[in-house]
Amino acid sequence: MTDGERESSAPVSIPAWNTLRRPLALILAVVVVTVAAWAAVANYVVVARDPRAPVDAYLGHLENGSSRQVLAPLLVGGGQNLAQLLPNRVYRAAADRPVGHDVVGTMVQGRHAVVSVDVHLGGGSTVRRTYTVEQVSAWGPFNDAWRLLTRDDTSVEVRMPGPLDALAVNGEKVRPDAGHVTSPDSSRPHARAWRFEALPGRYDVALPGDSYLLTKEHATAAISLTDPRPAVTEELTVAPSPRMWQSVETEVQRTLGACERDLQFDAASCPVPRELERATSSASGTASASPDEGGLPGGVSNVRWEVTSRPSLLLQPDAEEPLAFHAARFRATQAKVTWLENGRQRSGTVRFGIDVSARSNGEELTTEVRLRSALTDAEK
């Protein structure tokens, strides 16, 4: 065995535990003292040591529009039956909410205190409000803290004619959570009520600008700082928005355009003059006739179909379904039709109605368009 092999096989010397215990204990003590010192400093800075501190913090959140910082902690433990919480931007846009405050007095009685405050509102008024706080004992080197007992939160219930999938609250788009939407009236199966949590201020409720629907009048709700009570809005009334009008008009033009295309004419979907209709009917009862794919009899070809007169599109609400609309039947549409029948050029005019049904929950639109040969009394 060489000298190098002897050195490599020599046993490694491990320090005795007694020699390590003292420096490890010293390091642990330093860590404990450092953490305790930092915790004490943080506690001194963060903890509300003065009765007015939690009131200042609470009103500061209201003034900054930080509604979720006020309401979200109430969800901890599930003790609060809160309605839907909205984003901070919704509360920032609320009118007449607190914008400043001045503490005018503090009365301490044992472990409780009453803090009187003049709160300045966005509308220019000032109201006197009192808040009760209680002292919470802390252990060890930490400071006792004061905690606000009451807040000014309540709920707003928005009445809707049907299941709208998005609303605009204070101009901000919000999607109602299904867990906070109910059917309040069994006699009106389409009606809905949506609840959201609110803080003092005025709330404006309408439909978003990109919706297929619009509200005839905005719904409003006011939460008073001095007496916050649950509020219920008037039911929203909806009408077709410009986006719906344009989409429905495009679908009507597409349906009429299908009849005006030269490549294939569908007599089953496109109204035709009586002369062509009689030729089609008589051919259908003849065994020798062989109508083509467009429903035209043998000997009829080169059909040209062109709209010459059409009434304006007017959408009216459905009497039973509040989020559905139908085209008004007040005047007929007229088309000129030319065709070849057994080599002879023929022409005629046809008057017909356009049936339109449009249904929307705000963000989705379903449209049905059908050309109708039978005319109503108003269209004749």
Side-chain angles (χ1 to χ4, degrees), residues 45-359:
V45 173
V46 174
V47 167
R49 302 179 309 278
D50 186 272
R52 59 178 284 175
V55 178
D56 283 330
Y58 166 69
L59 291 175
H61 285 316
L62 299 189
E63 293 156 14
N64 293 330
S66 303
S67 58
R68 293 190 73 89
Q69 281 76 352
V70 173
L71 298 173
L74 301 180
L75 293 173
V76 177
Q80 292 283 340
N81 183 25
L82 296 183
Q84 183 173 346
L85 302 189
L86 303 187
N88 287 343
R89 64 180 183 274
V90 174
Y91 188 56
R92 290 193 187 106
D96 209 29
R97 63 176 177 82
V99 294
H101 70 277
D102 300 304
V103 177
V104 296
T106 302
M107 183 175 64
V108 180
Q109 295 179 338
R111 304 190 67 81
H112 290 82
V114 176
V115 181
S116 300
V117 189
D118 281 343
V119 183
H120 312 298
L121 304 180
S125 62
T126 299
V127 297
R128 177 69 56 86
R129 184 76 168 87
T130 59
Y131 292 96
T132 301
V133 296
E134 70 173 357
Q135 193 173 37
V136 181
S137 299
W139 56 273
F142 301 111
N143 297 285
D144 293 345
W146 289 90
R147 178 176 62 189
L148 185 66
L149 291 181
T150 57
R151 291 170 175 79
D152 304 301
D153 61 295
T154 185
S155 64
V156 172
E157 183 177 290
V158 179
R159 295 295 178 93
M160 304 179 292
L164 300 172
D165 59 2
L167 294 171
V169 183
N170 296 337
E172 299 292 336
K173 189 172 183 177
V174 177
R175 296 184 184 278
D177 189 324
H180 300 287
V181 177
T182 58
S183 301
D185 189 348
S186 58
S187 65
R188 300 175 61 226
H190 296 285
R192 297 292 186 272
W194 168 55
R195 291 175 62 248
F196 67 86
E197 203 69 20
L199 291 165
R202 297 186 65 86
Y203 295 83
D204 176 272
V205 184
L207 285 166
D210 61 352
S211 175
Y212 284 109
L213 302 167
L214 57 80
T215 49
K216 294 181 179 179
E217 292 185 2
H218 289 205
T220 59
I223 305 302
S224 171
L225 180 67
T226 56
D227 187 18
R229 296 183 180 182
V232 180
T233 69
E234 294 292 330
E235 184 170 294
L236 293 169
T237 54
V238 299
S241 73
R243 185 184 180 193
M244 177 183 284
W245 285 101
Q246 183 59 49
S247 297
V248 172
E249 174 64 22
T250 299
E251 187 64 20
V252 171
Q253 291 179 0
R254 188 197 66 78
T255 302
L256 294 174
C259 293
E260 293 178 323
R261 283 197 291 267
D262 295 338
L263 296 178
Q264 182 178 2
F265 181 79
D266 186 359
S269 301
C270 305
V272 294
R274 290 183 178 179
E275 300 87 345
L276 182 55
E277 185 177 359
R278 282 197 294 267
T280 303
S281 299
S282 60
S284 64
T286 304
S288 60
S290 56
D292 61 20
E293 293 181 357
L296 297 174
V300 175
S301 62
N302 289 19
V303 178
R304 299 291 183 269
W305 196 95
E306 180 185 3
V307 173
T308 57
S309 175
R310 181 192 151 196
S312 300
L313 175 65
L314 296 178
L315 292 175
Q316 297 178 327
D318 188 286
E320 302 294 333
E321 192 177 346
L323 302 185
F325 303 88
H326 306 287
R329 300 176 175 181
F330 66 95
R331 187 160 62 86
T333 299
Q334 183 170 293
K336 178 182 178 181
V337 185
T338 62
W339 69 95
L340 286 177
E341 186 174 346
N342 298 321
R344 180 183 176 186
Q345 184 70 41
R346 302 290 301 274
S347 66
T349 60
V350 58
R351 300 175 71 243
F352 58 93
I354 302 178
D355 284 344
V356 178
S357 294
R359 292 172 174 81

Side-chain angles (χ1 to χ4, degrees), residues 21-46:
R21 184 170 54 185
R22 181 171 296 178
L24 289 176
L26 180 61
I27 293 172
L28 180 60
V30 171
V31 171
V32 170
V33 170
T34 302
V35 171
W38 275 108
V41 171
N43 176 260
Y44 183 83
V45 173
V46 174

